[in-house]
Structures are given as C-alpha cells and as structure tokens.
C-alpha cells in the first residue's frame, strides 16, 4: 500500500501570534515555524503502517514557500521515504491545495492519503474532505483509530457525541485527530539519513492548477481583549461572588 | 436570495446547533429552507418547519441517509445547490465533515466557522485559535459556510409557519458505510449547549479524580469538560475536549479546574460570560482572563466547593 501524507508548515503552536499593525495578517517573520501537529500524527500513522508491513511506501507532500522543504525533511526523518514539494509564494486556500494534491494523486496513485484534520493557522478543517470530494473517494475524517482489512479500512471517528465507526473502501482519504497516535521524535541518525532522501519539486503551473484565491482577506484584527477579574481568597467568597455579584448560580 | 440550512439532527429532533445556524441565516435575510436528510426523520422535518424564520423544511428520507455520511449528504446538497445563494451548516463535527466535501464539488472555497456576518459576501472568522479575527469576502457565486454555534442565539423552536416539502433522497454513494457508534451516555447537558461547564485539566492528575467535578456538575446542572492536556493524558475521552481542536463553548459560567490556560484551551472558552479559575499556580495564564480566580490546591478547594454548594439553594 502506497501512502501520501500532507504536511503543512505553520507557526509553532507555542508561539503567541501577533496581528500585523497594518491589519493584513499575522506576523510570521522571525517566528518559529513547525510541522502542523495533526500532520505529525499523519506521518506517524503512515510510518507505523509501514513498520507493520501494511504500507510499502510513505510520501510526504508539502505546498508553499521554499522553507516547506524543512517540514518535508522532518517528515523524512520520522520515517517517510521521499518528499514532494509544490513550490509557490502564493497564498494557497484549502480548495487550491486540494486541487494540487489531486493532481499529485493522479500521478502517484496512492491507496490512501492522510492529512491533519485542521491546520492550526487558518483553522479551516477543509482540505481532506475537499480532496476526497475531488477524487470521488470516501473520507474518514477526525480519525482516532485506523484498521486496514485488505481493500477496506475501518475508521473510528471522533464526533461531538462520542465515537463513530465507519467502514470505507480504498482508496480513501483520512484526516487525523488527536488520539490516533503519539508522534515520535526523530532520532539523530534518522535526521542525518533524511538529508539523503529525495524531494521532488514542482510548481502549481506544472500541475495545471489555477490557485487564484476565492476569498479576499479584507482585514485581520486582534480579538476583543478579555480583562482579568479579581482573585478571591476562599471558596465561600467565590460562591458569594457567583451568587450575588455575577448572579450565575 | 434563498438560503439553505443543512440541519444537524438525530432523525427525531433538531440539535441546538441547527437553531443557531438558522439564526445566522436570518441575519443574511431571505427565504430560509432547512434540509432535513435522514431516515424516518419526518419528526425532525416537522420541527424544522416550525422554527422561527424558516419558510420551508425539505425532507429527504432514505436508508442511506440514516447516519448522514458525508459522501451521500454532500451529493444531495450539491444536487440542490443551484437554487441557493448561501448554504449553511453548524461548525460541529457534523458540518465540518460534510460541508467542505459539498463545497469542493461545487468548486467553492468554503468559509469555516464564521462568528459574524458583515454582508452577503463578507464574514468574520477566527484564525490562529481565535488570536486573530479575519474579515473575508467570498468571490464565489454560492457561499458555503459553517457557523460557530456560540456566536448566534438559537431561534425559537415554535412560532414559525414553514411548510414541509418531500424531496428525493439522492444518490446512495458507494464506498462508505456506517458500522456503529459509541455515544457518551450522560444525563448532563451537552457541552456545546450547557449553561454551566466545569472543566478539568492536567492538574486533575488522573481520570479517577473527575468524579469530584461531576458531583459539582450535578449540583449546578452543568456539563463536564476538559483541556487538551487532560485528554492527551488519557484522563477523559476526546469528546470532553474544549479548545481550538475540540469544542468551542460559551456558557454563562465556566469553571476551569487545574487548567493552566494554554492558548489552544482559551480559544475554546474565552467567550464564556463568567469564568472561574481554580489553580494552585498563581502565575497560570488562566487567571489573566478569569473573572474570579482562586489560587488554591484543587484537591482541597473542589471538595469544599462541592460541600458549600450542597448547603445553598442553587439555580440550575
């Protein structure tokens, strides 16, 4: 089984983002960037499937600026076999990413594509579902457990009310949720080995995809600030405040 | 202009998230049709037609729609899309699963998780876990949108005078089948619609300590939630999770116990009306947004809170 896994370069989850003063976006210059945490889970799952003998090849794909190569290298150090980088400085919306990935899927013919359920920058939660739609493949979103059975896949999904299990036929698109696995740290020897693994580079035009944005970002502003309140000394004081001041209990 | 709201329901009743999405549709103005697709879901369709502001409930019934799998439901939505300027669904796991699939089939860039509607094309949505708010204008002919439930007050479930129209159930798309579900059984309210929530974090130390919070929840008629750290540590299931990657909530009262206040948790609860934090670390970031902070060992404070609440008359 051949697996394609998408990895996005995002502002590290520990960084407190700052809105640019001109209101065009958030400050990303000189900010620590990392692989989107849900995509780490995707790579980990793919590598585990390979280690279990279910998968034969794991390809990591990233789309965006030149530095996305670093994100691909991280995936290679975790155990992916090779990388694909779609190089562009343009802003890519989820629909454009899904179209570009469809073009890659058409070339590579993987049996499964794994993506994170959402990227922690735009929080869109769309790309996997869109890719599945464009391919006409079934989707297993927000997966917390995957079991491959020949030409089908049992997927346990995290839904608002609990868990849902579905069975989907392969090829299919999977998006990862938090509890699917705990991603490994790449070891130093594997980081060194990753430097020798191949990364193919191409441009959106090579794939025949128009990536013109459909959304215009009018402005980006700070959210309304919430002011801290008071400290209370005792539980009794807390209850008194909740009953008589806030009147919520 | 006509608007289609895709209902989240359990075949009998509408979820509160649907009522909030209808409220967002009302802001847009125009005829509001509600798609109720399921199996034997006539009762839910009747309920939708009665909601304030709804002109018509579209009732699609078929065995393949019983669990509203994304493949089937997206195909049905796409087949109807030509009649509408806007297609809305709640930004719940239901809406998040199906709507991008429909959007891609329509060649539309979806606008996710909107919190405000500026005009028919322009919407505000949080990005970076709510640390920035983006105003975006859609150039697509049909707008496909998911709505943040906490940003809109539910419409009244009575008082509408909509009709119910039967429509075809659409194609049974091969490739995906429902196997089963394991829904959390609880007599407590759902997190996303609870008036009061009490949540535990890593400070709870173990899932065995969550019953302390449950006792208080039962006294207050509250739901129990958790931070991602508590879910990661395996204390409680993922459906407890409040935050950027879990549920977004805005109750009247949110009590955060042993939660430090990581950005990603605040993203899910900072719009709560009143926030209480109980944490032994007085430097914890949660205190910067809490209305009432109690610096204390939760293993002393929580039992005391439970005991004190037992002595007084509380509003549920």
């Amino acid at each position: 089984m051949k697996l394609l896994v998408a990895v996005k370069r995002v502002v590290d989850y520990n960084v407190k983002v700052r809105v640019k003063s001109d209101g065009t976006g958030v400050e990303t210059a000189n900010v620590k960037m990392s692989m989107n945490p849900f995509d780490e889970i995707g790579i980990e799952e793919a590598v585990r499937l390979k280690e279990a003998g279910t998968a034969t090849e794991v390809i990591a794909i990233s789309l965006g600026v030149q530095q996305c190569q670093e994100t691909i290298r991280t995936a290679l150090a975790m155990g992916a076999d090779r990388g694909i980088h779609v190089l562009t400085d343009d802003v890519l919306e989820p629909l454009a990413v899904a179209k570009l990935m469809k073009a890659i899927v058409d070339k590579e013919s993987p049996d499964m594509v794994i993506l994170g359920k959402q990227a922690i920058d735009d929080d869109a939660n769309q790309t996997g579902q869109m890719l599945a739609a464009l391919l006409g493949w079934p989707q297993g979103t927000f997966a917390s457990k995957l079991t491959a059975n020949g030409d089908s896949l049992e997927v346990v999904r995290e839904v608002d009310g609990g868990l849902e299990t579905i069975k989907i036929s392969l090829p299919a698109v999977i998006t990862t949720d938090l509890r699917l696995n705990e991603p490994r740290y790449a070891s130093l020897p594997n980081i060194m080995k990753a430097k020798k693994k191949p990364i193919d580079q191409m441009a959106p035009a090579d794939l025949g995809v128009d990536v013109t944005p459909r959304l215009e970002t009018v402005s980006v502003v700070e959210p309304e600030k919430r002011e801290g309140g008071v400290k209370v000394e005792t539980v009794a004081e807390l209850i008194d405040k909740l009953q008589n001041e806030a009147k919520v209990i | 202009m006509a608007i289609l709201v895709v209902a989240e329901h359990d075949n009998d009743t509408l979820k509160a998230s649907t009522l909030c999405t209808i409220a967002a549709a009302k802001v847009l103005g125009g005829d509001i049709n509600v798609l109720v697709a399921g199996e034997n879901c006539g009762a839910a369709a009747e309920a939708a037609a009665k909601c304030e502001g709804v002109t018509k409930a579209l009732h699609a019934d078929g065995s393949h729609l019983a669990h509203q799998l994304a493949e089937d439901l997206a195909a049905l939505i796409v087949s109807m899309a030509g009649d509408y300027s806007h297609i809305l669904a709640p930004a719940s796991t239901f809406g998040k699963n199906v709507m991008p699939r429909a959007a891609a089939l329509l060649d539309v860039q979806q606008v996710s998780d909107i919190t405000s509607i500026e005009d028919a094309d322009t919407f505000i949505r949080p990005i970076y876990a709510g640390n920035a708010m983006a105003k975006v204008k859609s150039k697509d002919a049909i707008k496909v949108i998911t709505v943040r439930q906490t940003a809109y007050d539910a419409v009244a479930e009575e008082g509408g005078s909509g009709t119910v129209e039967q429509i075809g159930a659409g194609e049974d798309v091969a490739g995906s089948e429902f196997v089963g579900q394991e829904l959390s059984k609880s007599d407590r309210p759902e997190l996303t619609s609870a008036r009061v929530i009490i949540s535990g974090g890593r400070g709870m130390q173990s899932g065995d300590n969550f019953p302390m919070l449950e006792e208080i929840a039962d006294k207050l008629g509250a739901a129990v939630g958790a931070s991602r750290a508590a879910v990661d540590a395996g204390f409680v299931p993922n459906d407890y999770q409040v935050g950027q990657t879990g549920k977004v909530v805005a109750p009247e009262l949110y009590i955060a116990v042993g939660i430090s206040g990581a950005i990603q948790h605040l993203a899910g609860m900072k719009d709560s009306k009143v926030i209480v934090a109980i944490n032994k670390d007085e430097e914890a970031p949660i205190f910067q947004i809490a209305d009432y902070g109690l610096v204390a060992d939760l293993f002393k404070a929580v039992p005391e809170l439970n005991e004190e609440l037992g002595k007084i008359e509380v509003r549920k």
Side-chain angles (χ1 to χ4, degrees), chain A residues 213-235:
Chain A
R214 306 292 186 82
L215 301 180
E216 176 198 341
T217 300
V218 181
S219 64
V220 174
V221 298
E222 298 244 0
E224 274 175 47
K225 278 248 172 346
R226 189 182 177 110
E227 296 297 324
V230 297
K231 291 259 172 63
V232 293
E233 296 300 321
T234 62
V235 168

Side-chain angles (χ1 to χ4, degrees), chain A residues 125-160:
Chain A
N125 196 331
Q126 296 176 8
T127 309
Q129 296 88 315
M130 288 185 154
L131 176 62
L134 298 178
L135 290 165
W137 291 4
Q139 66 189 49
T141 55
F142 326 145
S144 65
K145 190 164 179 249
L146 290 185
T147 315
N149 300 311
D151 58 0
S152 74
L153 202 59
E154 191 162 281
V155 186
V156 179
R157 305 179 56 234
E158 303 272 14
V159 294
D160 287 335

Side-chain angles (χ1 to χ4, degrees), chain A residues 126 141 165 214 226 229 245, chain B residues 97 107 109 135 180 272 290 292:
Chain A
Q126 296 176 8
T141 55
T165 305
R214 306 292 186 82
R226 189 182 177 110
E245 191 175 270
Chain B
N97 185 41
D107 195 29
Q109 175 53 55
K135 186 192 284 188
S272 305
Y292 303 110

